[in-house]
C-alpha cells in the first residue's frame, strides 16, 4: 500500500530548501499563492535563490519580503509591475531578472514537468524578448525556441488535499499551481483543508498525488479584508457566533 | 464642453463593444478594455481571462465578492452560465492555439503599419509583459482601445513605434475618443469619426499618415 503523505508543519518541510535552489511559487498576485509557505521562507536562513513566479509579490509583501532580505539572486516571471522594487533591484545589479510572456512561462513549466526539453512558439518573435534566441520557420511562420523550466522545490497552493496528496483547486486560484506541481524535484502543497483519501471525487482531482511530496494546512488565508491568519479568522467567527 | 477622463474611457469602451459579434470568445485587457464588458450582453458572448476562466461575468455591485475569483486585472468577477476554470497553461493554449476570437488591448503606441507597443517603456522601471505577446500571437482579431493622445497631448498613433513593439503581428482596429481606424492592405485608414469630432482635429492629433476609408461614416 502507498504510504500516506505526512501532514506536516511548514517549518519542518521548508528546510528542504537550500541556498542556491531554484524555487517555483504558485499564484497570480495573491490569488492562489502559498502565503503560509512564503511567510515561512522569509524566516528561514537561505540565500541566492532563483524564484520562478508570475509576480514577485508587492513592496514588502509576500515574495517582496524575500527580495528586501536579499535572498533572491534571480527572478523569473511575467509581471513584476506589481512590485517596483524588482526593477530597482535589477537596475542596481542586486538581482538578475528574466521577463517572460505569461504563456511562455506557463508552457515552459508544463514542458519541464512533462519531460520535454523545450519547444517553438510564435509568441515574442521579433521583439526584444526574443533577442539571442534560436528561431525556426515552420509552415511559413517564424517561431522562437523556448527551453523548459524546472525547479528544485515548488511551493504551491490548492483548496483541498486528501491524505494521499491528491489536490483540488478553487476557481481562479488554480492558475500556475498544477503545472508547478509537475516540474520540481520536491513539491510542497499548502491547502485550506485536508480530507481522507476517497473523499475527493476522482473527477475533481486536478493534481494526482504522485506529483505531491508534502502537504501543509494554510495558516495565512486570503479574505475580502486581505490576508489574515487562520487563528484571527476563527476568533472573528467565534465572536460573530457569540453576538 | 470637455469630457472627463471617465467619460472618455466609457465612450471608447462603448464603441469597442459594437465590434464584438454574438457567440465570440473575447479576452479583455486591463484598463479601458475591462469597461467594454459593461456594454455587451454577457449571455451573447463569452469572456475569457488569462488567469484561468471562460465565462467571466460582471459582479453585481451589491453582491459579496470572492477573493479567489478575479480577472487578469485582479478585479472581482462573477461566473456566468456555462463558465469553466482551468490552469494557466490551458488558458494560454486557448490564446496561443488560436481558439480566442478577439482581444481588446490598451496601447502605449500604435503605428501606421499596425504594430503595437504596450509592454515596455525604455528607461522606466516597469517590468511586466503579462499575456500581451501571447494574445497578439494567437487571437484572430486585435482591437486596440486607447486615448488618442498621451496625458501630455502627444499623439499615440504614430508613424513608427518608438517604444519596443509587442509583436510582429499587426492589430486590426484602433478605437479612440476621436476616431476609429482600420487597415486595408496594410494601409491605416480612418473609418469613422466619433460624435462632434472633425477631421481636422484627428489630423492635428495623429502623427501617423492615414487615408480616408471609402465608406467612412460621419457620425453626428
Amino acid at each position: 500500500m502507498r504510504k500516506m503523505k505526512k501532514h506536516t508543519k511548514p517549518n519542518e518541510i521548508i528546510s528542504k530548501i537550500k541556498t542556491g535552489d531554484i524555487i517555483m511559487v504558485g499564484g497570480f498576485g495573491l490569488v492562489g499563492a502559498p502565503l503560509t509557505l512564503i511567510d515561512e521562507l522569509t524566516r528561514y536562513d537561505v540565500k541566492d535563490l532563483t524564484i520562478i513566479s508570475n509576480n514577485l509579490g508587492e513592496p514588502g509583501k509576500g515574495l517582496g519580503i524575500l527580495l528586501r532580505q536579499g535572498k533572491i539572486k534571480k527572478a523569473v516571471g511575467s509581471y513584476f509591475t506589481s512590485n517596483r522594487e524588482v526593477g530597482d533591484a535589477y537596475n542596481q545589479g542586486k538581482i538578475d531578472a528574466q521577463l517572460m510572456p505569461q504563456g511562455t512561462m506557463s508552457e515552459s513549466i508544463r514542458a519541464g514537468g512533462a519531460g520535454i526539453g523545450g519547444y517553438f512558439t510564435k509568441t515574442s518573435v521579433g521583439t526584444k524578448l526574443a533577442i539571442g534566441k534560436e528561431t525556426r520557420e515552420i509552415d511559413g511562420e517564424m517561431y522562437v525556441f523556448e527551453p523548459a523550466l524546472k525547479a528544485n522545490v515548488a511551493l504551491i497552493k490548492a483548496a483541498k488535499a486528501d491524505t494521499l496528496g491528491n489536490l483540488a483547486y478553487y476557481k481562479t486560484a488554480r492558475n500556475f499551481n498544477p503545472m508547478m506541481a509537475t516540474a520540481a524535484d520536491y513539491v510542497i502543497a499548502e491547502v485550506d483543508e485536508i480530507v481522507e483519501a476517497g473523499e475527493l471525487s476522482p473527477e475533481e482531482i486536478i493534481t494526482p498525488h504522485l506529483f505531491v511530496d508534502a502537504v501543509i494546512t494554510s495558516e495565512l488565508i486570503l479574505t475580502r479584508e486581505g490576508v489574515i491568519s487562520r487563528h484571527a479568522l476563527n476568533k472573528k467567527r467565534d465572536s460573530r457566533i457569540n453576538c | 464642453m470637455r469630457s472627463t477622463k471617465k467619460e472618455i474611457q466609457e465612450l471608447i469602451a462603448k464603441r469597442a463593444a459594437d465590434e464584438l459579434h454574438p457567440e465570440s470568445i473575447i479576452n479583455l485587457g486591463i484598463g479601458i478594455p475591462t469597461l467594454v464588458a459593461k456594454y455587451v450582453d454577457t449571455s451573447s458572448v463569452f469572456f475569457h481571462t488569462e488567469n484561468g476562466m471562460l465565462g467571466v461575468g460582471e459582479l453585481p455591485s451589491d453582491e459579496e465578492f470572492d477573493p479567489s475569483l478575479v480577472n487578469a486585472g485582479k478585479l472581482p468577477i462573477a461566473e456566468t452560465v456555462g463558465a469553466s476554470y482551468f490552469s494557466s497553461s490551458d488558458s494560454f493554449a486557448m490564446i496561443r492555439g488560436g481558439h480566442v476570437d478577439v482581444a481588446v488591448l490598451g496601447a502605449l503606441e500604435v503605428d501606421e503599419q499596425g504594430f503595437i507597443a504596450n509592454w515596455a517603456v525604455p528607461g522606466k522601471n516597469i517590468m511586466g509583459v503579462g499575456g500581451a505577446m501571447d494574445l497578439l500571437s494567437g487571437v484572430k482579431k486585435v482591437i486596440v482601445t486607447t486615448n488618442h493622445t498621451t496625458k501630455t497631448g502627444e499623439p499615440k498613433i504614430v508613424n513608427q513605434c518608438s517604444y519596443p513593439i509587442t509583436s510582429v503581428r499587426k492589430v486590426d482596429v484602433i478605437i479612440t475618443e476621436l476616431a476609429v481606424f482600420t487597415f486595408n492592405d496594410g494601409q491605416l485608414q480612418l473609418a469613422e469619426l466619433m460624435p462632434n469630432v472633425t477631421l481636422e482635429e484627428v489630423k492635428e492629433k495623429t502623427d501617423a499618415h492615414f487615408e480616408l476609408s471609402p465608406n467612412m461614416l460621419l457620425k453626428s
Side-chain angles (χ1 to χ4, degrees), chain B residues 140-181:
Chain B
K140 292 173 193 146
K141 182 177 180 179
V142 177
I143 299 170
V144 179
T145 55
T146 176
N147 287 86
H148 203 88
T149 56
T150 65
K151 279 178 193 146
T152 54
E154 299 298 316
K156 292 181 82 169
I157 305 173
V158 296
N159 172 255
Q160 191 172 13
C161 287
S162 61
Y163 297 141
I165 57 167
T166 310
S167 179
V168 291
R169 184 258 169 86
K170 295 166 181 179
V171 306
D172 300 288
V173 183
I174 307 166
I175 299 169
T176 77
E177 74 278 22
L178 300 184
V180 178
F181 294 91

Side-chain angles (χ1 to χ4, degrees), chain A residues 53-54 63 149 161 218-219:
Chain A
S53 189
N54 193 49
L63 291 169
L149 284 172
S218 54
E219 282 160 23

Side-chain angles (χ1 to χ4, degrees), chain A residues 134-156:
Chain A
E134 182 189 344
T135 55
R136 182 180 292 184
E137 192 181 316
I138 303 169
D139 282 342
E141 288 194 274
M142 287 307 288
Y143 288 73
V144 62
F145 179 76
E146 293 289 352
L149 284 172
K150 289 172 93 167
N152 300 106
V153 177
L155 306 179
I156 64 166

Side-chain angles (χ1 to χ4, degrees), chain B residues 17-26 40 44-46 102 141:
Chain B
D18 294 342
E19 298 284 319
L20 307 177
H21 303 300
E23 308 284 302
S24 47
I25 310 291
I26 298 149
V40 184
S44 76
V45 298
F46 304 99
V102 182
K141 182 177 180 179

Side-chain angles (χ1 to χ4, degrees), chain A residues 77-134:
Chain A
S78 92
Y79 203 76
F80 299 127
T81 317
S82 56
N83 186 355
R84 300 220 165 191
E85 292 178 9
V86 180
D88 293 337
Y90 176 72
N91 289 340
Q92 291 159 12
K94 287 179 184 164
I95 62 160
D96 189 10
Q98 183 184 348
L99 192 63
M100 299 180 82
Q102 203 171 113
T104 297
M105 183 182 152
S106 57
E107 186 64 13
S108 292
I109 297 168
R110 198 193 71 79
I116 295 164
Y119 58 95
F120 286 91
T121 176
K122 282 187 276 186
T123 297
S124 95
V125 166
T127 72
K128 278 178 76 175
L129 292 190
I131 291 171
K133 288 184 177 169
E134 182 189 344

Side-chain angles (χ1 to χ4, degrees), chain A residues 98-226:
Chain A
Q98 183 184 348
L99 192 63
M100 299 180 82
Q102 203 171 113
T104 297
M105 183 182 152
S106 57
E107 186 64 13
S108 292
I109 297 168
R110 198 193 71 79
I116 295 164
Y119 58 95
F120 286 91
T121 176
K122 282 187 276 186
T123 297
S124 95
V125 166
T127 72
K128 278 178 76 175
L129 292 190
I131 291 171
K133 288 184 177 169
E134 182 189 344
T135 55
R136 182 180 292 184
E137 192 181 316
I138 303 169
D139 282 342
E141 288 194 274
M142 287 307 288
Y143 288 73
V144 62
F145 179 76
E146 293 289 352
L149 284 172
K150 289 172 93 167
N152 300 106
V153 177
L155 306 179
I156 64 166
K157 173 73 201 287
K160 285 184 189 176
D162 67 17
T163 49
L164 285 170
N166 286 309
L167 303 179
Y169 299 92
Y170 180 72
K171 300 190 176 180
T172 55
R174 185 181 310 188
N175 54 63
F176 292 90
N177 291 298
M179 289 90 69
M180 288 181 173
T182 70
D185 299 332
Y186 193 83
V187 176
I188 308 169
E190 170 177 342
V191 300
D192 293 328
E193 189 184 357
I194 297 177
V195 299
E196 287 300 319
E199 282 188 38
L200 291 177
S201 151
E203 298 286 4
E204 73 180 299
I205 294 167
I206 299 294
T207 297
H209 62 71
L210 63 81
F211 292 117
V212 181
D213 295 291
V215 175
I216 68 135
T217 310
S218 54
E219 282 160 23
L220 294 174
I221 295 170
L222 181 63
T223 69
R224 274 190 287 273
E225 290 80 28

Side-chain angles (χ1 to χ4, degrees), chain B residues 179-194:
Chain B
V180 178
F181 294 91
T182 54
F183 292 86
N184 186 28
D185 272 344
Q187 170 67 54
L188 182 68
Q189 289 193 332
L190 177 65
E192 193 178 314
L193 289 172
M194 294 295 260

